Amino acid sequence: MKIRYIIFLFVFLCVQLSAQDGLEGIIVEKYYVSDENDKSVDGDGGELPLNSVTYRVFVDMKPGYIFQAAYGTPEHNLKIATTTRFFNNIDRGARFPTYTRNLAQNNTVMLDSWLSVGAALKDYAGVLKDKDDGVNTIVNADGVLQNDHTQAGIPLSQEDGAVLATTQSVTVVGFFDTDLSIFDDTNESPIPTVLSTNDGAWSSLTGSMGPDSLENVVLIGQFTTDGVFEFQLNVQIRNQQTLEVETYVASNPTGNEIQFADLIHIDSLETGSSTRNFIGLNDRINVYPNPTSGHLSVSIDGDLSPGTKNIIAIKGIDGSTLFNGLITDSVTSLDLSNLVPGVYLLSIELDGYLFVEKVTKTP
C-alpha cells in the first residue's frame, strides 16, 4: 500500500513543465494567543496551555494560479514541528477543518490544529484577519477567545479570519494514519511533536484558489502550540492559463525546482510562558550581510550582555549542527565559505533568550 502511494505521489509531482514565478510568498499569521480565561473551558475543549499561539500558514500566489500540494520526497523532506505539543480540541478536533460555524462557537474549537487546502471551517475559507470582510464574525458561546494580545493583531471578537466561500477537500497521499494522529482530538502526542515525511503530501486534487482571486492567498494549515513552532515545506502550484506546474522547495533545488527561503520557518512568541523561557530578540540582534557569499557578522545591542550561556550555532534545515561556538563580544564574525549554497538556520542563546534567523549562503 505504501509503495502505491509513493508511485502516485511521484506521478503527481513530476507532471510539470518549465517553472515560472507564481509563488509570491508564504505568510505566517499569529492568529491568537491564549490567556487564563481560555483555560476555563479546559474540561470541554481539552488542555490549552497558557500563552499558546495559534499560527496560520498561507500560500500567497499570483492571480490565475491554484495551490495543488504541500509535499515531501526523499530529496526534499517536509516537516511541521513544535518543541511541546500541538493543541487538539477534544470536543470537535479533527485533522482537517470540517466543523460547522455553529460548532466553532463552542469552547476552543477555533484554535484546533489541522491541515487545509483553503478551508477554515465547513463552507468557509480562511483569510488573513486584516482581509476579513467583517460579516457574521463568530461569537464564542463560552465567553472565551477574547484575548487581544498585541502580537496577534486584530482580536478574534472583531475578525475571525473566515469568509463564506466554496472550498476544496483535503486529499492525503503517502502518510501513515499514525503520522496524522498528532492532529486528532487528543493531546497525547510525544514531546517534541513532529510531523515529517519523505513520501507524503496533503493536496487539493482539483486545485485551490484564494477567495479573493486577485489576492489569491490560500490557507494550508493552522497550528496551536505553547512551544517553538517550525516548518519546512515544499509546495506545488499550477498556472491555470498555461497549465504549467511550478514546484518550490525549501532547499537543494534540481532541474526546474525553485528554492524559496520562506518555506523554512521557525518562530516563538514573547509571552513569558512558564513552559519555556524563550524571548524574541529580533530587534536587538543584527545579522549581515544576508544573503552572504561567505562572511557573516552578528552584532548584539550593547545593553544585552552575554551571560553564562552564550551559544551561537549554524544548523542545516535537517537539524544538524554545522558550527557551534561562543559569543564573546558585541560583534561576532563567522566564516561560511565552506558551506554549500542554500538556506541555514543561525541560532543564538543568551541565558534564556533565543534568537533564530534564516541565513542564505550564495555561490
Side-chain angles (χ1 to χ4, degrees):
M1 182 66 71
K2 188 77 168 181
I3 294 175
R4 187 173 68 185
Y5 282 156
I6 295 172
I7 293 173
F8 178 86
L9 179 62
F10 179 80
V11 173
F12 186 71
L13 295 176
C14 290
V15 181
Q16 61 174 342
L17 302 175
S18 59
Q20 301 298 318
D21 57 353
L23 182 63
E24 295 191 310
I26 302 296
I27 302 172
V28 180
E29 177 187 51
K30 289 186 176 71
Y31 182 69
Y32 188 74
V33 180
S34 68
D35 61 8
E36 287 285 359
N37 183 50
D38 300 317
K39 292 183 65 61
S40 65
V41 291
D42 271 1
D44 297 321
E47 182 181 350
L48 178 66
L50 177 65
N51 293 323
S52 292
V53 184
T54 301
Y55 300 91
R56 282 187 164 187
V57 181
F58 297 83
V59 173
D60 183 6
M61 301 172 290
K62 289 183 177 178
Y65 279 81
I66 57 174
F67 170 79
Q68 290 191 312
Y71 69 91
T73 67
E75 296 78 20
H76 304 295
N77 178 251
L78 177 149
K79 180 176 73 172
I80 301 171
T82 174
T83 53
T84 55
R85 287 190 175 110
F86 291 115
F87 170 72
N88 304 110
N89 184 273
I90 64 174
D91 182 17
R92 301 291 175 179
R95 300 175 181 184
F96 316 112
T98 55
Y99 49 85
T100 65
R101 189 174 185 86
N102 285 340
L103 292 175
Q105 298 174 3
N106 299 328
N107 52 70
T108 52
V109 171
M110 288 180 65
L111 305 185
D112 192 35
S113 300
W114 33 254
L115 304 174
S116 179
V117 291
L121 60 154
K122 182 177 174 59
D123 299 324
Y124 284 80
V127 296
L128 293 162
K129 286 185 292 182
D130 63 3
K131 301 296 182 182
D132 197 337
D133 56 15
V135 176
N136 295 326
T137 298
I138 294 174
V139 178
N140 190 276
D142 296 288
V144 295
L145 307 190
Q146 304 299 306
N147 193 13
D148 60 352
H149 195 289
T150 55
Q151 292 198 41
I154 302 171
L156 293 189
S157 56
Q158 297 179 18
E159 305 287 359
D160 56 23
V163 298
L164 186 64
T166 301
T167 58
Q168 306 300 317
S169 60
V170 177
T171 297
V172 175
V173 178
F175 286 105
F176 285 118
D177 186 68
T178 52
D179 293 334
L180 299 179
S181 64
I182 65 171
F183 299 127
D184 288 341
D185 54 351
T186 181
N187 285 293
E188 299 176 352
S189 60
I191 295 177
T193 298
V194 180
L195 174 67
S196 179
T197 182
N198 288 320
D199 58 5
W202 78 90
S203 60
S204 173
L205 291 186
T206 58
S208 295
M209 186 177 293
D212 183 326
S213 60
L214 294 180
E215 294 284 345
N216 204 13
V217 177
V218 175
L219 175 64
I220 64 169
Q222 177 173 293
F223 311 96
T224 298
T225 179
D226 69 330
V228 177
F229 170 61
E230 65 174 298
F231 62 72
Q232 175 186 316
L233 303 176
N234 313 287
V235 299
Q236 178 178 287
I237 66 176
R238 189 177 75 189
N239 186 314
Q240 286 292 76
Q241 288 188 329
T242 66
L243 301 183
E244 292 183 357
V245 174
E246 302 176 11
T247 303
Y248 295 83
V249 297
S251 65
N252 303 321
T254 61
N256 290 326
E257 295 172 342
I258 302 172
Q259 182 172 330
F260 202 83
D262 286 347
L263 289 169
I264 300 172
H265 182 86
I266 184 167
D267 203 349
S268 61
L269 181 68
E270 182 177 350
T271 59
S273 170
S274 60
T275 61
R276 69 181 188 273
N277 194 27
F278 295 147
I279 303 177
L281 297 175
N282 297 58
D283 297 329
R284 307 181 70 182
I285 294 180
N286 187 26
V287 179
Y288 58 94
N290 188 15
T292 178
S293 60
H295 177 75
L296 190 71
S297 294
V298 180
S299 64
I300 302 173
D301 279 3
D303 62 340
L304 187 63
S305 302
T308 57
K309 187 176 182 180
N310 50 358
I311 300 172
I312 185 168
I314 296 289
K315 298 183 178 182
I317 58 174
D318 61 355
S320 60
T321 300
L322 305 175
F323 170 82
N324 219 353
L326 297 177
I327 300 172
T328 59
D329 205 341
S330 59
V331 178
T332 300
S333 296
L334 301 175
D335 183 4
L336 308 185
S337 58
N338 62 327
L339 299 181
V340 299
V343 178
Y344 298 88
L345 295 177
L346 168 72
S347 68
I348 296 174
E349 292 184 58
L350 298 173
D351 271 356
Y353 291 82
L354 173 69
F355 172 87
V356 180
E357 182 164 310
K358 287 178 291 186
V359 173
T360 301
K361 168 66 167 51
T362 60

